[in-house]
Amino acid sequence: MPRWLPRALVLALALYGLFQLGSWAFHQLTGLLINVLIAFFLALAVEPAVSWMAARGVRRGLGTFVVFLGVLIVGAGFVTLLGSMLAGQIIKIVEDFPDYLDSVINWINTHFHTELRRVDIQEGLLRSDWLRNYVQNSASGVLDVSAQVLGGLFQLLTVFLFSFYFAADGPRLRRTICSLLPPARQAEVLRAWEIAVNKTGGYLYSRGLMALISGLAHYVLLEVLDVPYAPVLAVWVGLVSQFIPTIGTYLAGALPMLIAFTVNPWYALWVLIFVVIYQQFENYVLQPKLTSKTVDIHPAVAFGSVVAGTALLGAVGALIAIPAVATLQAFLGAYVKRYDVTDDPRVHGHRGDGTGLLTRARRLWSRGPSATRPPGGDAEGS
């Protein structure tokens, strides 16, 4: 046996054991790593506001606390208003359910010549095994729902704590990272950090401004149509339409359309028409002006990045996909060398000879039948 073989076997086993240990630790810490990633992007988003206050004499800790307090107040207010709207709509549906059921029963009895009664349907529903099993499963799942709610609150607290420390101690964190690198690499890291801050903050601020404009526009429409809960619906449309690219406007418009339909079916049609028209105005007029200097990403790239982020990290990936891609795009644009494009017609989508099939057919037609004769045909005929 060669002398190196036992050492090689021990080394291979040690490396395999370290790999298994690292894989196990990574899977166990996946949730924490995702929370840290969310906190990092959130800290990048609030970095411009915190730096602006710090430049005017406000301590970074106090400035970060003020920014996060404002975010919490806005988020809690939105959730409260949305919850009250949903609760009111559910109560209204429950109160009007007997009338809806009576109208459906009358329609069925009229068209199918049946003798259904609401009392019989209610008794059959209350005595059904499906309802009994549903109630039992719901009662047994209360503890699971409570545990999920508590776990979500703990994750939210973890994200806010990490993001608070990242934003408040941003300069110290940058100094710590740069102290491990040579001077040439330090400049590159600081430049990449600055690009990430500009792109992430610019993305959120531009989206927030477009969400405000979208919410105001839809609020005016809903108020004119006298649709209930117009302020909450406007906030809903503004947020969902801007932070879910390409299809967010149509997803956000589904809820106002549904509530407008309960008032008047024609109102739902007017809401749909307004949503489509506003989407075109936003895509071709508003968005290019607001995002030209922040996150100028092609809509297909934005949608693909959201799909990829959702596949990798779920809803979290959908939220941070666009700022991450914008940062990567800006970073590559700063370091990848570009060349002048040659003045070739094929670059603009034209054929190399500048002629198409229709143009060549016209040329052959203009030449006449003589163009198709073989050479020397006239001499042989004479």
Side-chain angles (χ1 to χ4, degrees), residues 10-313:
V10 172
L11 181 60
L13 292 176
L15 291 177
Y16 179 76
L18 290 176
F19 174 77
Q20 291 294 332
L21 180 61
S23 177
W24 173 81
F26 178 78
H27 285 88
Q28 295 295 323
L29 298 176
T30 301
L32 178 61
L33 295 177
I34 292 176
N35 291 334
V36 172
L37 181 63
I38 300 172
F40 180 71
F41 273 96
L42 184 58
L44 292 179
V46 302
E47 176 71 20
V50 175
S51 299
W52 181 82
M53 287 189 289
R56 284 156 179 78
V58 181
R59 292 184 302 172
R60 292 188 64 90
L62 180 60
T64 307
F65 175 77
V66 171
V67 173
F68 277 98
L69 182 61
V71 172
L72 288 176
I73 292 175
V74 173
F78 172 72
V79 171
T80 302
L81 292 176
L82 184 62
S84 64
M85 181 197 71
L86 293 177
Q89 291 300 116
I90 291 173
I91 292 174
K92 183 179 179 181
I93 291 174
V94 172
E95 291 178 350
D96 297 339
F97 180 76
D99 296 333
Y100 294 150
L101 186 60
D102 288 337
S103 62
V104 172
I105 291 174
N106 292 331
W107 185 84
I108 294 175
N109 291 334
T110 302
H111 290 79
F112 297 98
H113 306 287
T114 58
E115 296 181 356
L116 297 176
R117 294 186 306 170
R118 177 160 60 91
V119 177
D120 298 336
I121 295 176
Q122 290 177 349
E123 290 181 355
L125 182 62
L126 292 175
R127 296 177 181 178
S128 62
D129 296 334
W130 172 83
L131 182 61
R132 188 181 302 108
N133 294 330
Y134 178 77
V135 171
Q136 292 176 356
N137 293 331
S138 299
S140 61
V142 169
L143 295 177
D144 296 336
V145 173
S146 301
Q148 292 179 359
V149 170
L150 292 177
L153 292 176
F154 180 75
Q155 290 182 355
L156 185 63
L157 179 62
T158 303
V159 169
F160 271 99
L161 285 177
F162 274 106
S163 58
F164 180 85
Y165 289 126
F166 285 154
D169 293 339
R172 184 185 304 176
L173 179 61
R174 286 189 287 270
R175 285 196 299 269
T176 303
I177 295 176
C178 290
S179 64
L180 304 175
L181 301 172
R185 296 296 181 184
Q186 293 178 12
E188 301 296 332
V189 170
L190 292 176
R191 185 177 181 182
W193 194 295
E194 183 180 2
I195 291 175
V197 169
N198 292 335
K199 292 301 178 180
T200 305
Y203 167 74
L204 290 180
Y205 295 147
S206 61
R207 288 292 171 177
L209 182 58
M210 287 195 295
L212 178 61
I213 298 174
S214 176
L216 290 176
H218 288 84
Y219 172 74
V220 172
L221 173 69
L222 297 175
E223 280 291 334
V224 170
L225 297 178
D226 198 18
V227 177
Y229 305 103
V232 182
L233 292 175
V235 174
W236 164 265
V237 172
L239 292 178
V240 175
S241 63
Q242 299 308 317
F243 290 97
I244 300 179
T246 307
I247 61 173
T249 302
Y250 305 105
L251 294 177
L255 183 59
M257 287 176 54
L258 180 61
I259 296 183
F261 185 83
T262 61
V263 179
N264 191 334
W266 288 104
Y267 288 174
L269 180 61
W270 284 112
V271 172
L272 176 61
I273 294 174
F274 182 82
V275 166
V276 173
I277 294 176
Y278 182 82
Q279 176 70 12
Q280 306 308 314
F281 167 75
E282 181 182 284
N283 289 339
Y284 295 102
V285 178
L286 188 62
Q287 185 173 352
K289 293 183 178 180
L290 294 179
T291 61
S292 59
K293 296 182 180 180
T294 55
V295 283
D296 190 11
I297 302 178
H298 193 275
V301 177
F303 184 73
S305 63
V306 171
V307 173
T310 305
L312 293 175
L313 299 177

